[in-house]
Amino acid sequence: MRPMQPAAAPTPYVPPAEGVGRNMLLLVQLRWLAVGGQLATILVVDGLLGIHLPLVPMAGVLAALVLLNLLTLARRSRWSDTNLPLFAALLLDVAALTAQLYLSGGARNPFVSLYLLQVVIGAILLNVWSSWALVAITSVAFALMGPFHRPLQLPPTYASSLSDAFLLGNWINFVLAATLLVAFVTRIAANLRNRDTKVAQLHQRAVEEEHIVRMGLLASGAAHELGTPLSSISVLLGDWKNEPAVRRDPRFAAEVDDMRSEVARCKEIVSGILFAAGEVKGEAPTRTTLRTFLTATLDRWRGTDPARAAFDDRLGPDVPIVADRALAQALTNLLDNAVEAGGRNIALVALRDGAMLRLTVRDDGNGFADRILSSLGKPYNTSKDRQGAGLGLYLATNVLRPLGGTIEAVNRDSGGAETTLILPIESLALEKTK
């Protein structure tokens, strides 16, 4: 069998298409700022302070950053916010900063602390392993900048000597700061991502519930409008039944009885729609038993053809319950779906699994398409062409939600499908089950 698809499983949040590549764009913008900031610093240090810098190689590093940005912008249509492209971009930025520090004093350069900027950006944008890899790479680069660098010839005014102990302490300070930043920023970023996912799921659920409200209003209006003509037809048929001409003709009397039965069924369907839409009439709840409720629901659906569907009773001891007409309508929808899928051998399997009730509609029809199983319980998710199709499983899902239940579906290896409603027995029971 194909794996079951629970309706309650949250749909993963997918960022909007216009947001793809926004982090890469941020890195491009930061790189432009880095180019401008480094160029200004080089001009001030070499021109105003009189500290001679290797201008040609340092300008070459800046040119490489500009070229990298231009190439990145040229491939803008292929940008993504995935981990590896962002990680590679940050590694190139670290390499450029390392080259500039090597040319301008190494670890004695006060701008060595700019490594922390790459670490913080990585902690926010990258996966956890990539963030820690960036910490390790920048820490090694910082350490190598101590013994390996191009020394600067400082004027006597700015000349100073930093001890090895100071440089070691500065490196340790960097490693501790980078470690703590990644440890906390990655957790904060994960919390924010989880929050965004939950907000997106709540928004999706609000949209679905708003859709249910609109359906309820539409069903309510249609049901109320249909109620009057159906009642009038029922009264007229009752009058016809008492007409002498009808009473003398057995065939005519039988047809009138059939019409009255069908009108009564239409009225019951309208009432079921109102219950599924959330509108409850002022009717007292019906006390019954679980087995009686399921048998009566199936009998109403089978009508005059008992062989239309079988009832596989695996309930064990019966349980007193309050009849839930919305649940009955949901079962009826699943049975109708089985017929529309071409099922000829249909069965309702009722199983008590501990504290849970499992109601499975099994058929030998065409089964579910993969796209329907992957988005089970969504409105208008159907393979039918007619307008308004695809609401049966959607309504069943929303009937089960307030009862604490779920819906599952699977294609059978032998052909056909199984759709299972799972709900706590206590949501229907008059007394707590043991």
Side-chain angles (χ1 to χ4, degrees), residues 143-396:
L144 292 176
M145 287 299 98
F148 303 104
H149 62 273
R150 182 172 179 171
L152 289 178
Q153 297 298 326
L154 298 175
T157 308
Y158 305 113
S160 64
S161 177
L162 299 177
S163 67
D164 292 339
F166 176 84
L167 293 177
L168 178 61
N170 201 23
W171 177 79
I172 294 174
N173 175 62
F174 170 82
V175 173
L176 287 176
T179 300
L180 292 174
L181 280 172
V182 170
F184 285 96
V185 172
T186 52
R187 290 184 184 180
I188 293 171
N191 291 337
L192 291 175
R193 283 192 288 268
N194 291 335
R195 185 201 64 181
D196 291 343
T197 300
K198 290 179 180 179
V199 168
Q201 292 170 359
L202 289 174
H203 175 71
Q204 178 66 24
R205 181 164 179 175
V207 170
E208 292 180 2
E209 290 179 350
E210 182 182 356
H211 185 76
I212 296 172
V213 171
R214 292 198 302 266
M215 287 176 55
L217 293 174
L218 179 62
S220 232
H224 287 310
E225 290 187 18
L226 287 172
T228 299
L230 287 175
S231 297
S232 300
I233 294 172
S234 179
V235 172
L236 290 174
L237 289 174
D239 293 339
W240 283 8
K241 184 175 177 64
N242 295 323
E243 289 290 332
V246 174
R247 297 173 65 181
R248 286 195 300 267
D249 188 340
R251 184 181 63 84
F252 198 9
E255 290 177 353
V256 170
D257 286 337
D258 288 342
M259 286 189 287
R260 293 184 68 189
S261 176
E262 293 302 318
V263 168
R265 184 167 179 266
C266 288
K267 294 175 69 175
E268 188 168 352
I269 290 173
V270 167
S271 298
I273 293 174
L274 289 173
F275 269 77
E279 181 174 332
V280 183
K281 289 185 176 180
E283 298 178 3
T286 304
R287 297 192 175 198
T288 181
T289 64
L290 181 57
R291 182 173 284 107
T292 302
F293 168 72
L294 295 176
T295 303
T297 300
L298 187 60
D299 286 343
R300 281 195 301 272
W301 182 80
R302 288 187 294 199
T304 57
D305 184 10
R308 195 179 181 192
F311 182 35
D312 188 355
D313 185 352
R314 306 180 190 176
L315 291 173
D318 210 354
V319 179
I321 66 167
V322 175
D324 191 312
R325 294 187 61 185
L327 178 60
Q329 184 64 35
L331 276 175
T332 301
N333 289 338
L334 297 186
L335 293 166
D336 288 338
N337 285 348
V339 173
E340 293 179 1
R344 295 189 177 183
N345 296 317
I346 301 172
L348 171 62
V349 182
L351 171 66
R352 183 174 175 178
D353 183 9
M356 305 301 289
L357 173 65
R358 301 176 66 92
L359 303 176
T360 301
V361 175
R362 180 181 300 161
D363 65 74
D364 58 352
N366 301 324
F368 293 104
D370 290 338
R371 64 179 180 83
I372 295 177
L373 284 176
S374 63
S375 54
L376 191 68
K378 300 297 180 183
Y380 306 115
N381 177 35
T382 180
S383 57
K384 309 183 187 89
D385 295 329
R386 62 183 174 82
Q387 185 177 6
L391 293 176
L393 292 175
Y394 176 61
L395 289 175

